Amino acid sequence: MHLSLRSTVSLLVMLATGLAVTVMSSTPAGAASGYERCPEGYLCVFEHEDGGGSYLKFRGDYSSSEVVSNLHNLGWGDRISSYSNRSVIGFSGYRHVGYAGDYFVMPSGGVGNMNPMDVWNDEISSIWSYR
């Protein structure tokens, strides 16, 4: 995987601040598929509907949680189509970087497509956690 200098710097900053966002790609044969790929204790966002395609996972608990002010730096801005929140806290996906604009709530225990009317499909640019 080739990263631009900006992406590399963003990744280093996230690692230095304790952010442990993980990007997962295709599923090996016999492994879980769809939403089932999301491990307990994480919010997972998927690039396709119904938990399909590659996904990004964020740890979420009461002692620490992960946020990303600019998903574009990770190659995930305006790319999310579904989610599964298996953490104990809620997350909000914002339309713009820096947690700006309208937001889509992904509550603890929530799972689904961004919106049946496609209002939120491929629209999220930052993610924030709430308790």
Side-chain angles (χ1 to χ4, degrees):
M1 177 166 103
H2 176 71
L3 295 174
S4 68
L5 178 59
R6 182 176 183 168
S7 294
T8 302
V9 169
S10 295
L11 187 57
L12 290 174
V13 168
M14 286 185 288
L15 291 173
T17 60
L19 182 64
V21 174
T22 306
V23 178
M24 308 301 286
S25 56
S26 60
T27 306
S33 63
Y35 297 119
E36 293 79 31
R37 298 179 289 161
C38 188
E40 187 72 31
Y42 286 84
L43 163 73
C44 296
V45 292
F46 301 88
E47 74 174 322
H48 300 306
E49 290 183 342
D50 302 319
S54 296
Y55 68 104
L56 189 65
K57 65 182 185 177
F58 301 86
R59 187 184 58 214
D61 59 41
Y62 291 112
S63 63
S64 66
S65 59
E66 301 167 343
V67 297
V68 176
S69 67
N70 189 343
L71 287 166
H72 295 276
N73 288 342
L74 298 175
W76 274 83
D78 300 333
R79 185 174 163 192
I80 298 168
S81 296
S82 59
Y83 76 96
S84 176
N85 188 353
R86 299 192 66 206
S87 77
V88 296
I89 62 173
F91 288 82
S92 296
Y94 288 82
R95 191 174 301 275
H96 303 297
V97 298
Y99 321 111
D102 296 336
Y103 60 91
F104 182 90
V105 175
M106 296 172 277
S108 176
V111 61
N113 295 322
M114 297 318 291
N115 192 307
M117 302 290 290
D118 289 328
V119 173
W120 283 98
N121 187 44
D122 297 337
E123 289 291 323
I124 292 178
S125 295
S126 56
I127 292 181
W128 181 263
S129 65
Y130 63 89
R131 298 181 183 161

